[in-house]
Amino acid sequence: MVAARRVTLAAVLVAVLASLAFDTGLGTPSSFGIGEFFLLCPLGGLEAMIASRAFIPVAAISAGVVLVMSLVFGRAWCAWGCPAPVIRRFFKREPKHEEKATEAAGIDEASGVSDAGETVVRASASALTETVDAPAKVDTECVPTAASSCSAVREAWSLAASLRHIGRDPRTWTLIAVLAAALIAGLPLFCLVCPIGLTFGTVGSLWHLIVDKQMTASVVVFPLALLVELVLYRKWCMNLCPVAGLLNITGQFARLFRPRINKETCLRANGAACDACKEACAERIDQHAVDAPQQLGECTRCGECAKRCPTASIEFHLR
């Protein structure tokens, strides 16, 4: 999986270079396609519509297609197509390991529904009024006849926790600020400093400098902006990237291709002190945390956790 991801990233770069060299018209990941059939960056498209206060069909269609894909693959773009993580790794500017705060989501660990398949659901009467006939603040046991009710409670809790997780993500607020700036300024301002656009703008500028002998300010400005965003501030992707913020919203509901742990062979599940998967994850996702389902909404499907697991206990499945 990791090898396939690296090949995909290389193929993206080769496609961009081929587009420049042979004028194939493929474009870049900010706007790519063939002829009249192309997709725009979903964030850039939204900014353009908000800034112009007009409905732009190609921008709306592009945003719709990309967001639907993110409902299936989550934030896979961030690992399989975005150049920013590659640049960070090249300059050895990976974010330092920090503990990721777990979210109790209003229910403490003892009263939550555990991954081990516990059948007891502790909830107040207000949460169970329509599903289980029980007094307020008592333990309610999920018996076979009430299985659907228990499932509904779990889904409602999971949805509420996901929405809270989205609201607490700083990238969500960066996204809101970017869209508000586009509305106020009447311009898609973030597109001027987007690392994705700057990366391929740098590639294009260097290409024209070497091949066409065209010297422009972008040869200097674009790389400097990239250095500031991705090298000096190593937590850009984790804290500020509005593209990640946009994909995180739909990623919370992307249940396919998420990593799954085999608890029979997992060292940590069996009491050993092992954080190999968490340390390997660029998003610092703790798959054993109480709020693991919400943290996995940020999963980029990079496969590093499965690669680094000492007992090969992590796999990615369609379901």
Side-chain angles (χ1 to χ4, degrees), residues 1-2 257-269 274-281 285-288 296 299 301-317:
M1 187 173 178
V2 173
F257 304 108
R258 284 189 176 186
R260 298 288 187 268
I261 295 178
N262 183 345
K263 294 185 178 180
E264 293 182 0
T265 58
C266 174
L267 295 178
R268 185 167 169 183
C274 178
D275 282 326
C277 57
K278 182 179 177 181
E279 293 174 357
C281 179
I285 295 173
D286 184 356
Q287 298 183 46
H288 297 271
L296 285 171
C299 177
R301 280 71 170 169
C302 68
E304 290 292 341
C305 58
K307 178 183 177 182
R308 305 283 183 84
C309 180
T311 58
S313 298
I314 300 177
E315 295 180 349
F316 286 78
H317 294 292

Side-chain angles (χ1 to χ4, degrees), residues 13-297:
L13 179 60
V14 170
V16 172
L17 292 176
S19 181
L20 290 169
F22 305 108
D23 195 22
T24 58
L26 296 175
T28 72
S30 299
S31 176
F32 68 96
I34 300 176
E36 297 180 356
F37 298 94
F38 64 95
L39 293 176
L40 297 172
C41 165
L43 179 57
L46 290 175
E47 282 188 276
M49 288 193 289
I50 292 174
S52 63
R53 296 175 173 81
F55 180 76
I56 305 173
V58 67
I61 293 172
S62 299
V65 170
V66 174
L67 293 179
V68 167
M69 291 180 65
S70 67
L71 283 172
V72 178
F73 300 104
R75 277 186 53 204
W77 155 259
C78 296
W80 291 72
C82 183
V86 179
I87 295 173
R88 273 206 328 266
R89 285 194 293 270
F90 178 80
F91 286 100
K92 295 180 171 39
R93 299 297 290 176
E94 285 296 293
K96 293 180 180 179
H97 182 77
E98 293 181 358
E99 292 296 325
K100 196 165 192 172
T102 58
E103 298 177 9
I107 301 176
D108 63 24
E109 185 174 0
S111 63
V113 181
S114 74
D115 291 335
E118 290 180 321
T119 58
V120 176
V121 176
R122 298 174 184 265
S124 65
S126 60
L128 296 173
T129 301
E130 299 179 359
T131 57
V132 178
D133 184 16
K137 297 183 180 180
V138 297
D139 293 350
T140 305
E141 186 169 331
C142 287
V143 295
T145 56
S148 60
S149 298
C150 295
S151 178
V153 171
R154 292 191 188 96
E155 289 299 325
W157 177 84
S158 179
L159 176 61
S162 294
L163 293 176
R164 278 191 289 269
H165 190 88
I166 292 171
R168 293 171 181 172
D169 191 332
R171 292 167 292 196
T172 302
W173 296 101
T174 303
L175 171 64
I176 294 172
V178 163
L179 296 179
L183 178 63
I184 295 170
L187 291 170
L189 294 177
F190 177 70
C191 292
L192 301 176
V193 296
C194 174
I196 302 170
L198 288 174
T199 298
F200 293 101
T202 299
V203 172
S205 298
L206 292 175
W207 178 269
H208 290 302
L209 174 64
I210 296 171
V211 177
D212 302 328
K213 304 297 188 292
Q214 295 179 2
M215 178 63 184
T216 62
S218 59
V219 175
V220 177
V221 174
F222 288 178
L224 284 179
L226 276 175
L227 287 175
V228 171
E229 292 176 4
L230 302 181
V231 179
L232 296 184
Y233 184 65
R234 66 175 70 188
K235 293 183 180 179
W236 168 271
C237 296
M238 293 184 67
N239 288 350
L240 284 181
C241 180
V243 177
L246 180 62
L247 295 178
N248 271 345
I249 295 175
T250 48
Q252 277 294 320
F253 309 101
R255 302 295 181 181
L256 305 181
F257 304 108
R258 284 189 176 186
R260 298 288 187 268
I261 295 178
N262 183 345
K263 294 185 178 180
E264 293 182 0
T265 58
C266 174
L267 295 178
R268 185 167 169 183
N270 288 281
C274 178
D275 282 326
C277 57
K278 182 179 177 181
E279 293 174 357
C281 179
E283 294 292 327
R284 301 298 183 254
I285 295 173
D286 184 356
Q287 298 183 46
H288 297 271
V290 176
D291 65 332
Q294 287 68 51
Q295 290 192 38
L296 285 171

